[in-house]
Amino acid sequence: MKYKDRLINLQNMSIVPCHRLTYYHFIGGKFIVDNNQIIGLEPINPSGYIGLITMNFSLLPKCNSCPLNKICIKGCLGAQYESSGELLIPCQSVCDLLHAKYKTLITEYNNLGVFKEAKKKGYFTFEQILEL
């Protein structure tokens, strides 16, 4: 999942789960710097941070029942938090955009014969295509 990346806010050397989640309560910790060298690590909210970077975003309430769940890149946690105050509920506009994108791609790949060729080469089964 994309949220397993480790991000460091270089402005204050904090370890954050998302480029937009730089709010204090989402920071996992902060590097202690002295004389331009890292000399330690100050924990701030390690349990919250670990929970966010290890969670399975495919199981979130709105995403769990979505037919495009297996191929969706999911939304940005920071954008979700900033738009609704709720970290784990995707923005409807982002869902609408991603649904339109994936459905268009699926239709076009099918029309171009990409799925048929992929099935012939054994990349995936026809059942997997039907799940899309």
Side-chain angles (χ1 to χ4, degrees):
M1 191 72 216
K2 70 180 180 176
Y3 296 111
K4 300 221 189 294
D5 294 336
R6 308 304 181 256
L7 300 171
I8 299 169
N9 180 347
L10 295 178
Q11 181 181 11
N12 61 9
M13 296 302 285
S14 60
I15 303 165
V16 294
C18 167
H19 71 286
R20 287 174 71 166
L21 287 180
T22 57
Y23 303 98
Y24 186 79
H25 50 285
F26 295 121
I27 296 173
K30 184 176 179 179
F31 289 107
I32 301 168
V33 179
D34 185 34
N35 199 22
N36 240 4
Q37 291 192 349
I38 296 173
I39 60 168
L41 179 65
E42 172 190 349
I44 296 175
N45 184 9
S47 59
Y49 173 80
I50 291 168
L52 282 174
I53 66 165
T54 59
M55 121 179 1
N56 183 347
F57 290 89
S58 294
L59 299 177
L60 295 179
K62 190 172 181 181
C63 300
N64 189 34
S65 60
C66 178
L68 301 173
N69 186 340
K70 292 182 181 178
I71 61 171
C72 185
I73 61 170
K74 312 293 187 267
C76 168
L77 291 178
Q80 292 169 187
Y81 180 72
E82 291 170 358
S83 74
S84 69
E86 177 53 55
L87 189 66
L88 304 177
I89 302 294
C91 305
Q92 189 58 49
S93 60
V94 174
C95 282
D96 293 344
L97 173 73
L98 292 174
H99 276 244
K101 171 187 171 179
Y102 294 129
K103 287 180 180 182
T104 300
L105 287 171
I106 289 167
T107 300
E108 290 304 312
Y109 290 162
N110 192 41
N111 291 343
L112 291 169
V114 172
F115 289 143
K116 186 183 286 186
E117 190 64 27
K119 182 184 181 300
K120 190 165 49 174
K121 291 188 176 185
Y123 294 144
F124 46 77
T125 67
F126 191 70
E127 289 74 27
Q128 289 172 310
I129 295 169
L130 291 178
E131 287 181 11
L132 301 176

